[in-house]
Amino acid sequence: MPDAAPAKVDTSDVKSDNLPPNRFELELEFVQSLASPAYLHYLATSGILNQKQFLDFLRYLRYWKHPQYAKYLSYPHCLYFLDLLVPPDDDDNDDTNTNNNTVTTTTSDSGETFRREMAQVQFRNFVHEQQFYSWQYRSARLYGGGEKQTGEHK
């Protein structure tokens, strides 16, 4: 099982005997829970998304974007929501932003707008619909759309 702590995180003030032995699984489960618009809505309406400690924890979880950790994710779009909640800093060396064909947007509010909008039921439903359409499109591309072959007739 890989070590869950990335090289960039300063854990000097945390005693290693206080960390649970299943830390990797706990963080994996939590980061994947960010793929749920309903859960994000709960976090937004309960005020948790506005707490500095929680936002710092979300920044810490960015290490899941590295390939050695991302390969364990079943719901990789959780990383997209993680970036919307706490956008990457300009000084982060993220491989996804180095591709010249990738469109990148800069936000001046550090994810505050997305966190505020997730508290709205209409926005939560919109995000859920878009997520469904994304999975539907991906499924059609991977597994086929179910169209009949031109040579097949009954």
Side-chain angles (χ1 to χ4, degrees):
M1 183 179 319
D3 184 24
K8 293 173 82 175
V9 177
D10 179 24
T11 58
S12 59
D13 60 339
V14 179
K15 293 181 181 179
S16 62
D17 58 341
N18 292 339
L19 298 176
N22 61 342
R23 178 179 174 193
F24 179 81
E25 290 88 359
L26 292 173
E27 290 180 1
L28 173 64
E29 183 177 348
F30 179 77
V31 78
Q32 290 191 114
S33 71
L34 297 178
S36 169
Y39 183 60
L40 294 177
H41 175 74
Y42 165 76
L43 293 175
T45 56
S46 64
I48 294 172
L49 284 182
N50 297 325
Q51 296 175 0
K52 184 184 179 326
Q53 288 179 317
F54 187 73
L55 294 176
D56 289 341
F57 178 64
L58 291 177
R59 285 183 190 91
Y60 159 75
L61 290 176
R62 287 186 192 151
Y63 75 86
W64 283 98
K65 294 171 66 175
H66 297 286
Q68 69 263 31
Y69 299 104
K71 67 183 178 183
Y72 295 103
L73 296 172
S74 297
Y75 305 103
H77 58 280
C78 65
L79 300 177
Y80 179 70
F81 287 133
L82 183 61
D83 280 345
L84 289 173
L85 292 167
V86 284
D89 299 328
D90 292 335
D91 59 346
D92 282 351
N93 294 328
D94 189 20
D95 294 337
T96 60
N97 293 333
T98 58
N99 187 351
N100 290 335
N101 296 331
T102 304
V103 176
T104 58
T105 58
T106 57
T107 57
S108 59
D109 66 357
S110 301
E112 184 178 333
T113 302
F114 181 75
R115 294 191 303 266
R116 184 178 58 244
E117 290 296 320
M118 275 310 295
Q120 306 299 322
V121 174
Q122 277 186 308
F123 188 73
R124 179 204 62 193
N125 293 341
F126 172 75
V127 170
H128 188 261
E129 283 179 2
Q130 296 305 308
Q131 186 180 52
F132 170 76
Y133 295 143
S134 173
W135 279 105
Q136 190 177 41
Y137 177 81
R138 181 178 184 270
S139 177
R141 293 289 174 227
L142 287 176
Y143 308 115
E147 300 93 25
K148 289 184 179 180
Q149 299 293 331
T150 58
E152 294 181 359
H153 295 287
K154 290 188 176 183

